Amino acid sequence: MQKFFELVVSGAVSGALYSIMAAGLVLTYQTSGIFNFAHGAIAFATAYLYFQLNSPNGQGIHWIPSLILSVVVFAPLLGLLLDRILLQRLAAAPVYARIVGTIGLLIALPSLMLWLIEAVGNDVLGAKLPSISDQAEGGRPAGIGPQPPSKWEPLGIPFDSDKLAVFVAAALAAVLLWYVLRRTRAGLEMRAVVDRDTLAGLRGINAARTSALAWVLSIFLAGLGGVLISPLFALNENVFTLVVLGSLAAVAASGFRSIPIAFAGGLAIGVIQNIFAGYADDFLPDFLTDLPGVRSGAAFPFLLTLLILLIVGRERGRQAGTAADEKPAPDHRAGLSAWRRRLPWIIATTGLLIFTLQVINVDWLQADPYEQGVVATGLAYGLIFLSFVVVTGLGGMVSLAQASFVTAGGFMAGWMLNHDFGINAWGIASDGQVNFLWAALAGAVVAAALGALVAIPLRRLGALPLALASLALAFFLDLVVFNVEEIGQGSFGWSIRPPSLDVPVLNEVVDLLVKGEQDHLDFSQPVQQFLMLLVLFGVVTLLIHSLQRSASGRAMLAVRSSEVAARTSGIAPVKTKIAIFALSAGIAGFGGSMLGLTQFSVTDTTARPIVGLIWIAVAVTFGIRRPGGALIAGLAFGGGFQAILTWVGHEYLPGPLEDLTTSTYFISILFGLGAINLARNPDGLLAMIATDRQEKKLTRQRRADVERAEAEIHGGDVPEHEQIYLGAGSTPAADMRVGAPTMDGAVLGLDRIVAGYDEVEVLHGVSVVVPERHVVAVLGANGAGKSTLCAVAAGLITPTTGRVMLRGTDVSKQPPFRRSREGLLLVPEARGIFPGLSVEENLRVLLRSPEEMTKAYERFPILEERRQQLAGLLSGGEQQMLSLAPALAQPPKVFIADEPTLGLAPLAAEVVVDAIKELRELGSAVLLVEEKAREVMQFADTIVFMELGRVVWSGPRAEADADRLAAAYLGGTTD
């Protein structure tokens, strides 16, 4: 029993750390939609600053001010900075861009901190700051509290002040989060943004500020956890990342939503992990307990993460829709001939050949043996990076297990090359040993089979759960499977025997290309490895291009764009996803064999899962959609970029700049920043300039086309609502008022609005005026633009031309939350409620005082009876009452209702109509879009008929007759 209690206590310590990290991850994901893979990097950065401040070799500051400066000051400021420069840009990006963007931060931030201290501070400025290897007493940095830590043994269980600090911090963090989320206005706004972010803006909530506050809280938790981790483990960025990734099971158990469940789950996982490790010898076979990942329990959180994600990570959202899941990026090469597209790559490949084969007798244009090896290794990485082109560039999925497929393929090839099959067949085996090509192909097959096996259970996961599940699988394989002696061959791994060939024609070709006499092909030589890998890269590239142009490739693109549409077209999305995953894994496994060839062995450290995270960041930096980007990324990661920086630094930069650019951390900073900045551009760095140039060209062409068309149709007189395409911008206000209803005295005025979605124009010069204490009803058939008009008025859509006037002020450029604070309230078509909040919380979003809450409950007594019930569980009529109650308790200046009686029973619809009439009597100006046209025409003051984005008639209710009503809904015209 003593052992059990010791395991529980020590497990609770790691569980408390998991809890802090998991709560922060869930908080940021729920408020921004971004899963922060860099959470551990932020924890490391804060802990490293604390170490610099508190260490005796550093500034020697007492732990309390050091804690305040690092956790309370630095971490929140870092959160605000990251939110401003990165996270707001990524919030609306595709899922893979959000994942890769934070992975870029994971790579860049720790390297940036180390570079600032060691390269800038010590090498350049001579500050003699403590390096990461300069640890405190006992080999680890100091924690929070007395140093050395105070030690106790309650009930015979060893305990110290560092562990006590973890419990206290976890408890305080839990109380802080509970109080902020449940007892503060900021917490209510956070939960509202999580529930319906668009509606939150319409209710006066600044979602950007709310998200920034959430990031500040989350990074505060990350920083606090980082300071607590370092004395218990080590001040190493990979350790911090592993601790954060260990909390993924708690995040998954919470469904990415519930912070209390994430917190409790973290504690439970830490305790269960420790108990599992402590009693593993009692119930597991010896061959498993001999594995480090099982004996220490390190693999347990990742296995649990995988199992939980398979249960809770499935896509459960609405599957139907009309829009593609991801808008295809424009091809900057559109319009170019085939030879023009290939010319840059032909030139680049020729240059690489000339450099590597030492064709030109100039020192700096000739690769020495070391540089030839770097290029060969880069080509091997290029082959591996082609797997990202398939799985992410073509399939739209993010796999973080590619490193495991590389290791699996390399291990299989190594086993076959070191196994005596007892056969001797020309082209297959010599003296019982299989030839290298067949071993590499076997490695590709095994990796592809593993990829297919992985894809079968993971195929139905959403984009983020798929990425997390593949990462958890990679860590499990790394910690458990690849540690099996028969699979990984221990720390020495499998040796890769370089092949040699004696083929007369090839011998002459190689002898012609390579300096010196070459009587046969010897692939232990870097230059011959280079030639072989260049040919293999070309072959795999041609296969990928053929796949893209084939029916299977089109099916893959269709599934990426929209699974629902693909399924209705007869395509099986499940089979397609499995095929994509298997193909990418096979390419990675084949690349693993080639990487082993350049390094002469494959071990379990050849491709660790964390290195796989760096791979995807580098691949995105140079382009993840085309093989050319994979080639450049491979050469850069294989050492080419570092070699160039070293050469430039030594030859052309003065001493301080040389120290900065040749630092081992500098290249990681560049790769990380590249992934951050280019996460939204799948074609990478090289295509970015070309894309900008193409967009400018298309803009000029669009203007010319509009001018030509208008010259033919209107004699060169371009209508105002089309002048935006000529770059004219908004038409001057004086001109806008000509022929439009006067804005004088209007509470809300929509003045010749031109607006739409992306390139599609929906409203063509619409003008509507809503005076005080008036109901203006907008009628028309579906597709007339009524809802778009409401969205423009509320700020959800910014007009390309025209003005939105609110009480005489132009608010066209103001966001929705500012218009709401100015007195404009929109009840959207899909009910203006937050379904995940209670009735009372819904009312508190808009109503601040108890008196206003009382008014709302008095107007709709049924809401008081349901005050603690989730709004999403109310009936349709009760939900609409909840939408209207804040307006009746605190009448807005302008009330906009979009189809308020849609789907309601007659009695409920009558209640809604009575409430709108009451709002008019209370002084509100009402803009009403309603399908029950005849009922509206009985009480509206002004009727506006719309047809295909234009106002075809507007006037007093008395002048709107049945013919006009029929024309508005059935088509046709009236005089």
Side-chain angles (χ1 to χ4, degrees):
M1 186 59 72
Q2 178 74 14
K3 176 183 177 181
F4 177 79
F5 283 128
E6 289 182 7
L7 291 173
V8 169
V9 172
S10 58
V13 173
S14 56
L17 293 173
Y18 289 158
S19 296
I20 294 173
M21 296 302 183
L25 288 170
V26 174
L27 177 63
T28 50
Y29 181 73
Q30 277 303 297
T31 52
S32 65
I34 298 174
F35 187 89
N36 187 16
F37 282 88
H39 206 70
I42 294 166
F44 170 80
T46 308
Y48 191 52
L49 176 62
Y50 179 82
F51 168 67
Q52 292 294 329
L53 295 172
N54 179 247
S55 169
N57 297 329
Q59 305 307 308
I61 301 174
H62 189 268
W63 70 267
I64 294 178
S66 296
L67 182 68
I68 293 173
L69 289 173
S70 57
V71 176
V72 182
V73 177
F74 171 76
L77 289 177
L78 179 62
L80 287 174
L81 180 64
L82 292 176
D83 181 70
R84 180 63 59 88
I85 65 176
L86 169 64
L87 305 169
Q88 290 184 14
R89 290 195 303 117
L90 288 179
V95 173
Y96 83 88
R98 284 177 253 162
I99 292 173
V100 173
T102 56
I103 288 176
L105 183 61
L106 164 67
I107 297 166
L109 187 57
S111 296
L112 178 62
M113 293 293 293
L114 294 169
W115 180 75
L116 289 173
I117 296 299
E118 298 184 16
V120 179
N122 292 341
D123 295 343
V124 176
L125 301 178
K128 296 183 180 180
L129 298 170
S131 68
I132 197 169
S133 59
D134 187 11
Q135 302 288 307
E137 296 179 52
R140 286 177 182 163
I144 298 175
Q147 294 302 320
S150 302
K151 299 181 182 295
W152 313 283
E153 288 194 12
L155 302 177
I157 301 172
F159 205 69
D160 60 38
S161 56
D162 285 341
K163 294 179 180 179
L164 177 62
V166 174
F167 285 116
V168 173
L172 291 176
V175 173
L176 173 67
L177 282 176
W178 175 84
Y179 180 80
V180 169
L181 292 176
R182 294 293 172 183
R183 290 291 184 265
T184 67
R185 178 75 191 177
L188 176 63
E189 291 183 353
M190 283 184 197
R191 290 185 289 124
V193 170
V194 168
D195 208 53
R196 288 181 68 184
D197 57 344
T198 301
L199 182 63
L202 295 173
R203 295 298 174 264
I205 297 174
N206 186 344
R209 188 188 67 183
T210 301
S211 174
L213 177 59
W215 277 100
V216 166
L217 276 174
S218 172
I219 292 181
F220 166 80
L221 292 174
L224 178 63
V227 173
L228 296 170
I229 288 171
S230 51
L232 300 178
F233 296 94
L235 191 57
N236 179 283
E237 63 270 28
N238 290 335
V239 171
F240 281 70
T241 298
L242 286 173
V243 172
V244 171
L245 295 178
S247 70
L248 289 181
V251 176
S254 73
F256 301 92
R257 295 188 64 85
S258 173
I259 292 177
I261 293 178
F263 218 99
L267 282 171
I269 290 166
V271 172
I272 296 172
Q273 176 187 8
N274 226 36
I275 293 175
F276 175 87
Y279 291 101
D281 292 335
D282 298 340
F283 62 91
L284 289 179
D286 291 341
F287 79 92
L288 284 179
T289 55
D290 289 340
L291 297 173
V294 175
R295 185 168 58 250
S296 66
F300 177 78
F302 299 108
L303 177 61
L304 191 59
T305 299
L306 190 59
L307 295 175
I308 293 174
L309 284 172
L310 290 174
I311 299 172
V312 305
R314 295 175 182 270
E315 292 278 22
R316 292 183 170 87
R318 177 176 179 265
Q319 292 293 309
T322 58
D325 296 337
E326 182 183 336
K327 181 181 178 181
D331 187 354
H332 66 276
R333 307 172 302 166
L336 296 179
S337 60
W339 74 268
R340 182 63 182 82
R341 293 186 179 198
R342 299 188 183 106
L343 181 61
W345 297 107
I346 294 173
I347 295 173
T349 305
T350 303
L352 187 64
L353 280 165
I354 291 172
F355 175 72
T356 309
L357 299 178
Q358 303 175 335
V359 174
I360 301 176
N361 193 22
V362 178
D363 287 344
W364 64 277
L365 290 177
Q366 287 185 337
D368 58 29
Y370 168 76
E371 291 168 337
Q372 290 172 338
V374 167
V375 174
T377 303
L379 283 172
Y381 279 115
L383 273 171
I384 294 170
F385 291 168
L386 284 175
S387 67
F388 290 115
V389 175
V390 174
V391 71
T392 304
L394 184 60
M397 297 178 287
V398 176
S399 168
L400 300 180
Q402 299 305 100
S404 296
F405 301 139
V406 168
T407 302
F411 279 174
M412 183 61 193
W415 177 82
M416 290 195 70
L417 290 171
N418 289 274
H419 186 75
D420 188 351
F421 289 91
I423 59 175
N424 189 12
W426 184 86
I428 297 176
S430 302
D431 299 325
Q433 292 185 322
V434 72
N435 291 349
F436 175 80
L437 177 62
W438 299 110
L441 291 175
V445 170
V446 167
L450 178 61
L453 190 65
V454 168
I456 290 173
L458 302 185
R459 68 191 187 277
R460 297 188 185 278
L461 298 185
L464 176 62
L466 173 62
L468 295 178
S470 63
L471 182 61
L473 175 70
F475 274 103
F476 179 78
L477 292 174
D478 180 67
L479 293 168
V480 178
V481 178
F482 295 151
N483 271 306
V484 176
E485 180 70 25
E486 290 76 10
I487 295 176
Q489 202 69 358
S491 59
F492 295 101
W494 294 102
S495 63
I496 301 294
R497 185 182 71 254
S500 61
L501 292 175
D502 188 3
V503 180
V505 176
L506 288 179
N507 290 345
E508 280 76 18
V509 172
V510 172
D511 187 47
L512 181 65
L513 294 175
V514 180
K515 281 190 174 183
E517 186 176 350
Q518 311 292 327
D519 56 354
H520 69 286
L521 280 72
D522 180 7
F523 293 107
S524 65
Q525 303 301 314
V527 67
Q528 297 197 32
Q529 291 177 359
F530 160 74
L531 289 172
M532 180 184 71
L533 289 168
L534 186 62
V535 171
L536 290 175
F537 185 92
V539 170
V540 177
T541 296
L542 288 175
L543 291 175
I544 293 175
H545 279 309
S546 299
L547 174 64
Q548 290 174 327
R549 291 190 293 266
S550 69
S552 297
R554 291 191 292 272
M556 293 175 181
L557 290 173
V559 171
R560 172 184 178 141
S561 297
S562 173
E563 286 192 34
V564 175
R567 190 178 293 112
T568 58
S569 301
I571 299 170
V574 170
K575 292 181 179 178
T576 303
K577 285 187 173 183
I578 294 175
I580 291 172
F581 227 81
L583 177 60
S584 72
I587 294 172
F590 187 73
S593 304
M594 299 305 156
L595 183 61
L597 171 66
T598 63
Q599 299 179 354
F600 301 102
S601 68
V602 177
T603 70
D604 60 353
T605 62
T606 298
R608 306 304 293 263
I610 288 183
V611 175
L613 297 179
I614 301 175
W615 286 354
I616 193 171
V618 177
V620 166
T621 299
F622 293 97
I624 206 167
R625 196 164 281 184
R626 295 186 178 89
L631 174 63
I632 299 174
L635 292 171
F637 183 80
F641 203 8
Q642 184 67 62
I644 292 172
L645 288 175
T646 302
W647 171 65
V648 171
H650 289 333
E651 295 292 333
Y652 300 104
L653 297 179
L657 288 178
E658 179 186 347
D659 292 336
L660 296 179
T661 55
T662 57
S663 168
T664 55
Y665 305 120
F666 188 66
I667 193 167
S668 296
I669 296 171
L670 294 180
F671 283 148
L673 293 177
I676 290 169
N677 289 319
L678 293 164
R680 297 189 63 176
N681 189 341
D683 291 328
L685 181 66
L686 298 181
M688 185 171 61
I689 298 174
T691 300
D692 292 340
R693 187 168 59 246
Q694 182 204 33
E695 289 179 355
K696 292 178 182 178
K697 179 181 177 182
L698 290 175
T699 300
R700 291 193 300 268
Q701 182 178 348
R702 185 184 298 116
R703 292 175 183 173
D705 291 343
V706 171
E707 287 175 344
R708 184 171 56 254
E710 297 301 337
E712 294 175 357
I713 299 173
H714 301 295
D717 183 17
V718 182
E720 291 168 355
H721 70 275
E722 294 185 13
Q723 289 185 8
I724 185 65
Y725 300 115
L726 302 181
S730 298
T731 307
D735 295 335
M736 293 297 296
R737 287 194 295 267
V738 177
T742 178
M743 300 291 115
D744 296 338
V747 181
L748 174 66
L750 300 165
D751 193 6
R752 292 197 179 179
I753 296 296
V754 176
Y757 306 90
D758 294 327
E759 298 284 332
V760 180
E761 185 179 293
V762 177
L763 301 179
H764 316 294
V766 174
S767 296
V768 175
V769 172
V770 187
E772 187 177 5
R773 295 180 181 272
H774 271 62
V775 174
V776 176
V778 181
L779 307 178
N782 288 336
K786 306 185 300 296
S787 294
T788 303
L789 185 68
C790 294
V792 169
L796 297 176
I797 298 174
T798 301
T800 52
T801 65
R803 301 178 302 166
V804 179
M805 307 294 294
L806 184 60
R807 294 193 292 172
T809 302
D810 189 347
V811 296
S812 305
K813 303 300 182 183
Q814 286 189 3
F817 76 90
R818 293 201 179 278
R819 301 189 196 190
S820 175
R821 294 175 183 179
E822 293 293 327
L824 187 150
L825 180 65
L826 166 66
V827 176
E829 182 179 349
R831 307 278 189 267
I833 65 163
F834 298 97
L837 302 184
S838 68
V839 170
E840 183 163 338
E841 288 171 335
N842 267 270
L843 294 175
R844 282 173 47 212
V845 169
L846 276 173
L847 305 179
R848 305 294 182 94
S849 68
E851 294 78 12
E852 291 171 344
M853 294 285 290
T854 301
K855 286 182 182 179
Y857 286 135
E858 288 176 351
R859 182 61 180 79
F860 296 113
I862 189 66
L863 297 181
E864 188 169 18
E865 298 176 17
R866 309 270 200 272
R867 61 191 307 163
Q868 298 304 322
Q869 185 173 324
L870 289 180
L873 301 179
L874 300 176
S875 67
E878 291 168 343
Q879 289 182 5
Q880 203 63 292
M881 292 178 194
L882 183 57
S883 299
L884 295 167
L888 293 170
Q890 186 186 48
K893 299 296 181 182
V894 177
F895 180 80
I896 304 174
D898 187 5
E899 304 281 9
T901 65
L902 183 65
L904 298 184
L907 289 178
E910 185 177 345
V911 171
V912 171
V913 170
D914 289 341
I916 292 174
K917 294 178 182 178
E918 185 177 340
L919 280 172
R920 175 176 56 186
E921 300 305 318
L922 291 171
S924 296
V926 179
L927 179 64
L928 174 63
V929 172
E930 180 54 60
E931 64 172 4
K932 296 180 172 62
R934 293 194 181 278
E935 289 82 350
V936 169
M937 291 178 69
Q938 295 176 8
F939 70 89
D941 300 291
T942 301
I943 304 296
V944 175
F945 291 115
M946 288 187 66
E947 181 180 330
L948 298 178
R950 290 182 171 85
V951 173
V952 295
W953 185 89
S954 65
R957 176 187 62 194
E959 297 179 12
D961 55 23
D963 291 337
R964 297 187 191 280
L965 179 62
Y969 282 90
L970 302 178
T973 59
T974 60
D975 294 330

